[in-house]
Amino acid sequence: CVDRIARALNDHSKPVRGSRIAILGVSYKAGVGDLRESPALRIMRISLKHGNASPSAFGYVLYGLVTGAVFHDYARGHQFGELAVRLAREGPDVVLRSKILMIFAGFVNFWRAPVDSSLAMLREAFRLAFDSGDVQYANYAILQILFLKIARGAPLPELSAEFERYADFVTAAGDQYTMANYRLRVDYARVLQDQAAPENALSRPTF
């Protein structure tokens, strides 16, 4: 895919370096179990060989995620994630930046840094996604904010305030996956505060 894009640009006398290229679905290649064949990792290898472009950040952050989550080299994974964030911040593409920040803060950064730093970055990712109209990644940022708040044991009133902050957006966006996960997190907090509906209460006979 990346090689074909480079050839197409060459055919039109345009260099890869400096060209604005949107690449979708870079993290998975159907039917291929070898992680080395991931299109995202190919982006990283090409970037290391030929120099960085805007999409390079996506390859680096996903390589960092795989390096930690699959191979348990969390320090190296975090370093590649930080590189991705730095490149995304230097570039003008706020849509790409919101994605990189969400992936890094939501799934990588807390391996080596305080959760509060991830939360701050996720809020930034949400604002960027919201301002640029990227509803899906705004939803992802919300879900990871709530997940990390729960995982770190945030006080229940603080959790409730977080739910209220994003309730209108989640409802208006209408994404079924986000709404289901949002409700699951809300029910979690309500159960612990003894405010759940009877069918969800810890005192129900079927619990």
Side-chain angles (χ1 to χ4, degrees):
C1 176
V2 177
D3 290 337
R4 287 198 296 269
I5 291 172
R7 288 197 297 271
L9 287 170
N10 288 334
D11 289 343
H12 289 82
S13 301
K14 293 183 178 181
V16 173
R17 184 184 296 274
S19 296
R20 292 176 63 84
I21 306 169
I23 300 181
L24 304 177
V26 298
S27 62
Y28 174 71
K29 187 175 181 181
V32 178
D34 190 341
L35 289 172
R36 292 171 298 179
E37 293 300 316
S38 164
L41 302 189
R42 290 189 64 209
I43 291 173
M44 190 200 77
R45 290 198 298 270
I46 291 171
S47 298
L48 291 174
K49 182 177 180 180
H50 298 290
N52 292 320
S54 293
S56 301
F58 220 121
Y60 291 138
V61 76
L62 290 174
Y63 176 78
L65 177 59
V66 169
T67 299
V70 177
F71 299 108
H72 310 298
D73 190 345
Y74 300 106
R76 183 177 176 84
H78 192 267
Q79 288 174 338
F80 271 94
E82 288 183 313
L83 172 61
V85 169
R86 186 164 67 249
L87 289 174
R89 289 195 187 283
E90 291 173 354
D93 191 339
V94 296
V95 175
L96 176 66
R97 192 183 311 158
S98 72
K99 289 175 167 55
I100 300 302
L101 291 176
M102 198 291 299
I103 295 170
F104 177 69
F107 301 100
V108 176
N109 186 51
F110 54 79
W111 294 337
R112 305 280 293 180
V115 170
D116 279 346
S117 64
S118 292
L119 291 169
M121 210 174 294
L122 284 166
R123 295 191 197 285
E124 181 184 356
F126 171 78
R127 288 193 301 271
L128 290 171
F130 179 86
D131 290 343
S132 61
D134 189 345
V135 175
Q136 195 60 62
Y137 266 79
N139 280 329
Y140 291 157
I142 290 171
L143 291 180
Q144 287 308 106
I145 288 170
L146 299 179
F147 169 76
L148 289 181
K149 282 275 190 178
I150 291 170
R152 68 172 298 192
L156 293 173
E158 185 179 321
L159 270 180
S160 296
E162 206 73 67
F163 295 138
E164 289 297 322
R165 181 176 292 117
Y166 298 111
D168 289 343
F169 180 86
V170 170
T171 301
D175 178 72
Q176 294 301 311
Y177 171 82
T178 303
M179 292 173 69
N181 281 272
Y182 175 83
R183 283 195 295 266
L184 183 66
R185 288 157 171 77
V186 170
D187 287 343
Y188 167 89
R190 286 178 176 168
V191 163
L192 293 180
Q193 295 178 89
D194 200 24
Q195 297 175 358
E199 63 271 18
N200 295 327
L202 296 179
S203 60
R204 69 186 186 279
T206 56
F207 179 72

